[in-house]
Amino acid sequence: EISRTPFDLPEGESELVAGYNVEYSGFRFALYFLAEWAELYVISAIATVVFLGGWQVPAVVPEALRGPLQVVVFLVKTFAIVFVGMWVKWTLPRLRVDQVTEVCWKYLVPIGFVNLVGTAAWVALVPRGHPAGLVMSLVLTAIAIGVVIRLLARVRYTRRSTQARLSFNPFV
């Protein structure tokens, strides 16, 4: 939604010579540019609320400090997501259309289904506060780690085979 690397195919400012990159300059272009950064902050704030517990402070903090600390905790979580978004954009190259499709269909959709089925099994089979919840969380964590290791092995294999094809050694 925010057209950030590696999923910024609609934008591709380094390849495109069209759109607002050419049509606007000066103050109007600056407003578009600032709107993109504001969108990153808003999406990060929404992700903080949805995925990171929002302004919730750990239970170890005394009750008197929770009010003022909630704003600080929310901002720290939001800026952590902004930092990761900026870090990814500045370090990873943009993916081609076929690479984005491959990553989404081969990896992200199966990971999402495993997450959905695992969460449904957790909610259906484990009563709240039961010790088996720890076992179920360990099993789901092991499955997630296995999927990530498989993804990294596939990416490493693809990179090696691509480098071999690009080399000029006729014996490779």
Side-chain angles (χ1 to χ4, degrees), residues 55-73:
W55 55 87
Q56 299 297 322
V57 180
V60 296
V61 177
E63 192 66 36
L65 295 176
R66 285 197 184 201
L69 194 60
Q70 286 178 335
V71 175
V72 173
V73 167

Side-chain angles (χ1 to χ4, degrees), residues 5 84 86-93:
T5 301
V84 168
M86 292 167 60
W87 183 17
V88 167
K89 182 173 178 75
W90 292 339
T91 56
L92 292 179

Side-chain angles (χ1 to χ4, degrees), residues 46-165:
I46 291 171
T48 298
V49 171
V50 173
F51 299 112
L52 298 181
W55 55 87
Q56 299 297 322
V57 180
V60 296
V61 177
E63 192 66 36
L65 295 176
R66 285 197 184 201
L69 194 60
Q70 286 178 335
V71 175
V72 173
V73 167
F74 180 76
L75 290 176
V76 165
K77 290 177 182 180
T78 301
F79 286 124
I81 294 177
V82 168
F83 173 75
V84 168
M86 292 167 60
W87 183 17
V88 167
K89 182 173 178 75
W90 292 339
T91 56
L92 292 179
R94 184 180 306 111
L95 298 176
R96 296 186 319 255
V97 175
D98 60 327
Q99 292 171 330
V100 171
T101 305
E102 181 179 352
V103 166
C104 288
W105 283 108
K106 287 186 177 179
Y107 301 108
L108 296 181
V109 170
I111 289 171
F113 280 135
V114 167
N115 189 9
L116 180 67
V117 170
T119 303
W122 186 324
V123 169
L125 299 175
V126 179
R128 186 176 290 250
H130 194 271
L134 177 63
V135 174
M136 183 72 82
S137 66
L138 291 176
V139 168
L140 290 176
T141 302
I143 291 171
I145 289 172
V147 169
V148 169
I149 288 173
R150 169 78 173 109
L151 171 65
L152 292 176
R154 176 69 181 156
V155 168
R156 184 172 171 232
Y157 170 75
T158 304
R159 192 179 82 206
R160 252 188 312 172
S161 65
T162 303
Q163 288 173 349
R165 278 183 286 162

